[in-house]
Amino acid sequence: MNFAVNKYLQKSYMQQAPNKQRELDPNRISVPVGYQIEVFAQGLNAPIGMVFTENGDMLIADSGIATMNPRVLRISNGSLQVIADGFNVPLTGINYKNGRIYVSHKGKVTIIHPNGGRQDIISGLPSNGDYSNNRVEFGNDEKIYFGQGTTTNSGVVGLDNDWVLEHPYLHDYPGSYIFLNYANFETKNVLIPAMDSAVTGAFSPFGVPNIQQYQVKEGRLLASGSVIRANLDGSGIEQVAWGLRNPFCMKFDDLNRLIISNQGMDTRGSRPIANALDELHLFNKGAWYGWPDYSGGAPVTMPRFVPIRGRKPELLLHTIPSVPPTPIAVFPSGSNIMGFDFNRSSDFGLIGDIYIACFGGVQYEESNDYIRSGVGHRILRVNVVNGDIATFAINKSGFPEERGLSRPTDVIFGPDDSMYISDMAIADLEMQNVYLPYTGVIWRVRKIMM
């Protein structure tokens, strides 16, 4: 999910928006027989992630996209308090270890120490484009792992990238040496209005074409769509995989396997890809996962990826770095999978199953894709053994609702073996991708005695 909201429009809207909470009705949400869903916390802004501390307190990450002021909050004994604010927009996730809160926000990873002091342990990440650096995960090797999203949707800077005027030289960087096909894309020239058009090549700034066949691009440590590993203090940064468009969440399971949720490409921009899949992957060190030329393990030149209006996608890479790994599970286009967690209690369900939040469709100016019944706006259950996917929680209408599930962003299990779901602020129906403050919710799902 691209959280590059129009900060000026959002700020103007906040000054006029009424401070009202959502009218919530858990009965509008369908969960399996034997489970009950209820409101745990409401009146939040734009919650995007959660984590529990060792004493049972819940820490909540507020992305800041509804207020332009990302915050970290704590719920303790039913009381909600703000621990810290003023982070870069967007804040994409938090984690907790040894009394320290690790905050991922645009371009940085910051630690909040037990005494309230802050320390930026990683800065300068390439997060000024469409997608940011994401939540950190802790490995048994005493390292942190996190995903770094791509700068563009599918490798080419275009008119869908609102940041072009502010960052005209920004573009994607590969994680290893690549050889490009001779492919350029012509658009209106928004940087030099006196010129009718601009021609842009893959992995190049806007208006800079690729001028030869088999053009070489050098790999970067901080590459687009990569998995980054570092020491707990942020030192020793290394890239350990790339080729993931937006590796939003990663967690280790009980077998010490790192599972990654990855959001697929959209039907937008100079190189629109239709019906691209979201994916759950196993981490393989050194792997290339297929972006920008593969989706769900298949090349984007296949007929199903051709937009209804638009040219057939062509491969950007002349030679692929490696064969992309096969995903554990794939999700329909528009799912926008986000945070997830593993069930570790037989009292709740099958141990090892993944429960994952699906944010759902987002509107883009040049695309008619928006909200479709049957895709997103729900919690899915994934059997990691066979990849089977089933809906666990969804509005009875099938659509996002103000009173029910709107835009789920994360799932975690608490010390009480209940499931907790963070639900983003609702969007204004008349203003594209503008979110209403005070409309974020945390839901709780409990197993009940029959």
Side-chain angles (χ1 to χ4, degrees), residues 1-18 45-46 64-68 162 359 361-365 370 406-407 424-437 439:
M1 166 56 202
N2 180 359
F3 288 115
V5 297
N6 188 321
K7 58 186 178 181
Y8 304 106
L9 184 61
Q10 182 73 56
K11 185 175 181 180
S12 173
Y13 182 84
M14 283 173 52
Q15 295 170 350
Q16 307 172 41
N45 289 319
I65 67 168
T67 61
M68 297 298 105
D162 295 336
F359 189 89
V362 179
Q363 187 176 17
Y364 296 105
E365 290 181 359
Y370 189 34
S406 177
R407 297 183 178 278
M424 177 71 76
I426 59 176
D428 184 83
L429 295 178
E430 298 180 357
M431 304 180 75
Q432 179 178 303
N433 298 334
V434 170
Y435 297 90
L436 282 66
T439 60

Side-chain angles (χ1 to χ4, degrees), residues 100-399:
R100 297 175 176 85
I101 303 170
Y102 286 70
V103 182
S104 298
H105 54 126
K106 186 177 179 179
K108 294 184 177 182
V109 177
T110 300
I111 290 178
I112 303 175
H113 292 282
N115 63 4
R118 299 192 199 185
Q119 178 187 4
D120 295 337
I121 61 169
I122 299 177
S123 299
L125 296 169
S127 298
N128 286 321
D130 282 3
Y131 303 100
S132 186
N133 51 295
N134 295 311
R135 172 191 178 275
V136 305
E137 172 68 337
F138 304 111
N140 290 340
D141 54 2
E142 291 298 300
K143 303 276 189 179
I144 57 173
Y145 293 75
F146 63 92
Q148 172 63 55
T150 58
T151 300
T152 67
N153 173 48
S154 60
V156 182
V157 182
L159 302 183
D160 59 320
N161 304 125
D162 295 336
W163 41 261
V164 166
L165 295 178
E166 187 174 357
H167 303 286
Y169 302 109
L170 193 62
H171 61 92
D172 288 297
Y173 289 97
S176 61
Y177 277 99
I178 58 172
F179 294 88
L180 294 176
N181 285 319
Y182 184 69
N184 290 302
F185 302 81
E186 187 174 358
T187 64
K188 176 183 177 182
N189 197 327
V190 294
L191 291 183
I192 309 176
M195 298 181 65
D196 291 336
S197 64
V199 178
T200 305
F203 293 90
S204 295
F206 183 81
V208 177
N210 291 330
I211 59 176
Q212 61 186 14
Q213 180 72 291
Y214 313 136
Q215 186 162 335
V216 179
K217 295 287 183 176
E218 182 181 1
R220 294 288 185 95
L221 169 65
L222 300 178
S224 301
S226 59
V227 178
I228 304 296
R229 181 169 66 182
N231 296 321
L232 293 177
D233 62 0
S235 64
I237 293 177
E238 56 181 326
Q239 176 213 122
V240 289
W242 77 286
L244 295 153
R245 175 173 169 273
N246 189 24
F248 184 81
C249 182
M250 53 186 67
K251 289 186 177 181
F252 284 97
D253 66 8
D254 288 342
L255 298 177
N256 199 36
R257 302 178 302 178
L258 187 60
I259 311 294
I260 304 169
S261 65
N262 180 51
Q263 299 170 353
M265 292 172 278
D266 297 317
T267 313
R268 63 177 171 97
S270 295
R271 186 175 178 256
I273 311 293
N275 304 310
L277 303 172
D278 289 2
E279 308 157 329
L280 271 184
H281 276 290
L282 274 176
F283 167 70
N284 292 304
K285 185 178 180 182
W288 173 70
Y289 283 87
W291 182 89
D293 281 352
Y294 282 71
S295 172
V300 298
T301 50
M302 296 186 69
R304 69 173 184 261
F305 298 117
V306 179
I308 295 175
R309 293 180 297 276
R311 75 194 212 189
K312 176 183 177 181
E314 51 195 297
L315 299 180
L316 299 183
L317 306 186
H318 177 72
T319 305
I320 62 175
S322 60
V323 176
T326 301
I328 297 172
V330 295
F331 306 82
S333 176
S335 296
N336 277 311
I337 58 175
M338 303 279 280
F340 64 88
D341 204 1
F342 307 96
N343 174 46
R344 293 182 167 91
S345 170
S346 58
D347 291 336
F348 189 91
L350 186 63
I351 292 177
D353 276 0
I354 292 175
Y355 292 81
I356 189 164
C358 296
F359 189 89
V362 179
Q363 187 176 17
Y364 296 105
E365 290 181 359
E366 71 276 23
S367 172
N368 291 325
D369 284 347
Y370 189 34
I371 296 172
R372 306 192 302 272
S373 178
V375 178
H377 309 284
R378 66 192 64 198
I379 305 301
L380 296 177
R381 181 178 62 228
V382 183
N383 185 316
V384 294
V385 176
N386 56 25
D388 286 349
I389 299 173
T391 297
F392 179 79
I394 185 175
N395 293 324
K396 294 173 183 177
S397 68
F399 289 92

Side-chain angles (χ1 to χ4, degrees), residues 45-66:
N45 289 319
I48 198 166
M50 306 163 288
V51 67
F52 279 97
T53 67
E54 67 276 355
N55 61 5
D57 293 346
M58 176 187 282
L59 302 176
I60 302 172
D62 174 6
S63 66
I65 67 168

